[in-house]
Amino acid sequence: MFEMSSNMLYIAFGLYLLSTICFAVSITGKKFKNKTGEERNKSALFGYVTAVGAVGFSIAYMALRWIAVGHAPVSNMFEYTAALGIAMALAFVILYPIYKNNYLGLFTMPVVMLIIAYASMFPTEAQPLIPALQSEWLYIHVITTVIGQGILAIGFAAGLLYLVRMVDFTKKDKKVKGVEFIMFTLVATVAYVGIVGGFQAAGYEAEFQYINEFEEEATIAYNLPPLVGPNEGELISEQGFDPPILMPEFIVSEDVNTILWSVLGGMVLYLLLRIVLRRPVGGALQPLVRNVNPQTVDEISYRAIAIGFPIFTLGGLIFAMIWAQIAWTRFWGWDPKEVWALITFLFYAAYLHLRLSRGWQGERSAWLCVIGFALIMFNLIFVNLVIAGLHSYA
Amino acid sequence: MKDVICECGHKNPYGTYLCESCGKPLKEEDKKVANMRYEGVARRSQTYSSSIVDKVWNFFSSVKVGIWIIVLLLVSSSLGTIFPQEMYIPPGENATEYYAQEYGIAGQLYYDLGFHNLYSSWWYMLLIAALGISLVIASLDRFVPLYRALKKQRTTRHAAFMRKQRLYGESDTDDSSDEDFDKVRAALKKKRYNVREENGNLLAEKGRFSRWGPYVNHVGLIIFLIGGMLRFFPGMYLDEQVWVREGEREVIAGTGGEYFIENHEFIVDFYDDDAGELFQEAITREEAPVVSNFQTNASLYRQPDDASIGGESDLEHVEDHEIRVNDPFQIDSISLFQVDFKLNELNTFSFGLEDEEGEMVGDVEFTVDLNDPEGFYEFDNGYTIEIMEYFPNFYIDDNGEPTTLNRVPDNPRIIFEVFPPELEPNEDSGELSMVGIQVNESLNDTSHTIRMTDADTIDVTGLTIRRDHTLPIIITGGAIFMVGLVQGSYWHHRRIWLQRKDGRWLIAGHANKNWHALKKDIASVTEGTSLPEPVDQLDSEEEPQKDE
Ligand code: HEM
């Protein structure tokens, strides 16, 4: 059963890819075969149907895994992050029929794939639940939150689409740099997945003996070749080599090593893209989205956030408070994760109020959508893995 | 301040921008589309600005100010997560030193700025108060005018009003027919629009109640904030910790001595090999065993009303409960939560007595309950042993005096006075020795040695006793907030005005958001009629940037 659930996710991943391709064809196809309007329409339909199928398989993955492990598959980094990708796809599948915007598909599906691929870099095996998580509120709270965040993430995809459509890439100003930074982040994530996934598949492991922050001897295993080593580290495995630089004891050298690999890999990929395209990546995408109506995309992003905000609030704050009251005796305790959920809430509240005033529609609003999504990812990754609080189970 | 009289005859309050009744712009503006926010009615904040009260009112009613408050709250909240708050630093650590020690200069600065207790700092409280005030004033400022405007609006609007709507269409021939009019009306009704007619003009409206969503959600937020504030009033909030040893009973704080809790057994379970193959990989990855359950098997006892004070003997048994994480014991308004435990706390020491030759003295065997030691042990062979002093958690204080940190037997030391048969406990002084774990010192001339023969331990459960009378208010506020949020987000106020002027159609539409749905509605109700397709005047106003 467990294995079968994993296979479902693989199939879903393939379908997300297929859907991306279909949406790409539905857009670029116009240019090449102007007369065959009929066929063009079909590839968009096919893209949507594939996306629906992908979501179906994704849900099958969740259901089977739920049955296999005995609890909702939203309890560690892999499961939660994958659920976020799936929720984003689900939100797209629901929103697409309203606006029938193929460009949105072209921007959403790759992000969904990237999130799921990123998720699978975390340990994917089944994990038992510690007592604090043994509650039906686990799924009520987490699933509601993740659906809310998935819908908010559509706001990001539409915002990015807006920016790629509207920013003037012939200039070299802050806006272009901003869009290029988003592109770089996406590319660096691709690099991270490629590098970590590759070495994982190859079974790479370099082990070091080192002195940890408590000044004790310890060992640490690297799954990537060591660009930087641990404090007073000495290689003790066959694989690997002596790294050129050693880190001081208070830094988790393995994480620094992984980040270094991702950033370097991202830079290489990004530079390659720049060389091949000979212009900013956003600028290269712009001709593709020339026919996008900016008003429509702006409205899609606004609607996505207006729809996602109440759901996120319900799951991420209200249900969270109910559960915290039951499990931790208080509904609110200023734990970092709680605070960052509040910050996300306040941020989107500010966004909604800004939308009431003129001058905050369109481009500025698109930037806000991007920042909002950055907050969600920050809360998921940085707060979970770096700022340890009560929530850090993974 | 004078009322403004419109050409339709309606008297509008000073400051009105679009006539409340017919909608004719009362002030000239060169924008193509009218600002429909609050229907162009005057708000108090736009009308008065002379006195201090007015100034304060205007300040807090401004959305700009509201957004600033939200952003300031957001930024300052994030500062509090850079380093842990004081309540999350390891127990026993002193904040004065901890931050500097762990995080260096940045940590010291964090501490000095008071960020280690950021969320209860006066300025954070002030920000929350400002948010509350702003919510109240901004809502009051808009509620009445909006109510008036929505109530008073006439079906027939001035042509200038129509033309200034974002969605506007005008036919260029004068062949409008009653038949088309009826068709549109029927289609609108089918789409559940509320249709009103006047002199052959039509106003179709839908989802007006969603306009009240923001006000409902703001009221919910205010109630929520009030609930949060009430916590600081005495009696509203109880937060106590109680440690109960297995087999023992403790009074439950906050019940006036009425209720007692007994811990029959404290249990910790682990995921082990039986947990199934599925979890094996994860369990091996974790180097420590993974806990599956914390549980206290507890009983609740009640002091009967007529019982003598302090007598625990005649407690009535009320109820049993297995207290687990996520499953507290509910007693009236009080809840007992499983939050902590201590395994293998020292419980009893057993002792024997050794004479000068190192032989055990027969019959002298006794056990000391470390939580409730007896003072005196007498034996049949004439020996007597007295406990002179008992330090459950021994340490030497700053003055060099032996003392105890607390009543928890973490490091027990006992000073015994041994009276062999030839000494008389009441008159003579006996042999003094201090005994503890790995400690056995004689304090005067002793010929006997006390030997620890056994030590017994026990598990202790840590429960939190919680009563929170603010919860009903918080829940009410939260629920109202959610209702308002949904009301304002999932429904939208849409209006369509239809007029015939000299045989020509005028059609205008306004939505407070979700224009897409309104456009689709208009397209579908005008289908198959001679009505013009309204254009989105914003599409042409903001000329999109050119490609390449
Ligand atoms: C965290 C606090 C707040 C939350 C969660 C909140 C929430 C909301 C929401 C969801 C809306 C509806 C927006 C929309 O329909 O797109 C709204 C509208 C509004 N809010 Fe707030 N709000 C907050 C604080 C404030 C403050 C401090 C002010 C003070 C100026 C304010 C003034 C307004 C106004 C004037 C509206 C528009 C009302 C209307 O459309 O008639 N809000 N608020």
Side-chain angles (χ1 to χ4, degrees), chain A residues 61-132:
Chain A
Y61 141 79
M62 291 191 82
L64 289 177
R65 192 174 168 105
W66 190 330
I67 295 166
V69 302
H71 57 256
V74 285
S75 66
N76 60 29
M77 280 303 277
F78 160 66
E79 291 174 342
Y80 187 82
T81 312
L84 178 61
I86 294 167
M88 188 176 177
L90 177 70
F92 170 76
V93 161
I94 294 169
L95 285 173
Y96 179 85
I98 306 178
Y99 293 98
K100 301 244 170 46
N101 193 307
N102 301 337
Y103 299 93
L104 189 64
L106 183 65
F107 273 65
T108 304
M109 286 298 137
V111 177
V112 169
M113 283 164 58
L114 205 52
I115 296 176
I116 295 177
Y118 176 76
S120 58
M121 296 299 112
F122 292 101
T124 57
E125 78 263 353
Q127 282 173 1
L129 286 187
I130 61 163

Side-chain angles (χ1 to χ4, degrees), chain A residues 334 336 339 387, chain B residues 76-86 89 95-96 98-100 103-119 123:
Chain A
W334 300 107
V339 174
I387 307 179
Chain B
S76 41
S77 300
S78 71
L79 293 179
T81 62
I82 298 177
F83 299 132
Q85 291 291 295
E86 188 178 11
I89 68 175
T96 341
Y98 180 80
Y99 288 92
Y103 308 107
I105 299 170
Q108 185 62 45
L109 192 67
Y110 198 76
Y111 177 80
D112 290 340
L113 289 173
F115 286 3
H116 64 302
N117 267 325
L118 188 142
Y119 305 110
W123 57 274

Side-chain angles (χ1 to χ4, degrees), chain A residues 189-205:
Chain A
T189 313
V190 172
Y192 168 81
V193 170
I195 294 169
V196 174
F199 280 103
Q200 237 170 41
Y204 185 89
E205 194 177 274

Side-chain angles (χ1 to χ4, degrees), chain A residues 302 345 353, chain B residues 38 62 134-135 142 215 217-218 221 485 513:
Chain A
Y302 182 29
F345 167 80
H353 288 91
Chain B
Y38 313 108
S62 150
S134 182
L135 275 167
R142 289 162 174 82
Y215 302 88
N217 90 43
H218 288 165
L221 267 181
L485 201 54
K513 54 180 126 164

Side-chain angles (χ1 to χ4, degrees), chain B residues 276-323:
Chain B
E277 242 174 89
L278 199 55
F279 295 137
Q280 270 326 304
E281 205 182 327
I283 290 171
T284 357
R285 180 193 297 275
E286 299 284 331
E287 272 145 22
V290 182
V291 173
S292 66
N293 185 28
F294 296 117
Q295 177 177 333
T296 303
N297 292 342
S299 290
L300 181 70
Y301 293 89
R302 207 180 88 92
Q303 182 95 274
D305 298 332
D306 52 357
S308 56
I309 304 299
E312 283 189 27
S313 49
D314 37 33
L315 291 178
E316 301 170 353
H317 174 258
V318 183
E319 199 185 335
D320 295 326
H321 190 82
E322 292 169 356
I323 306 176

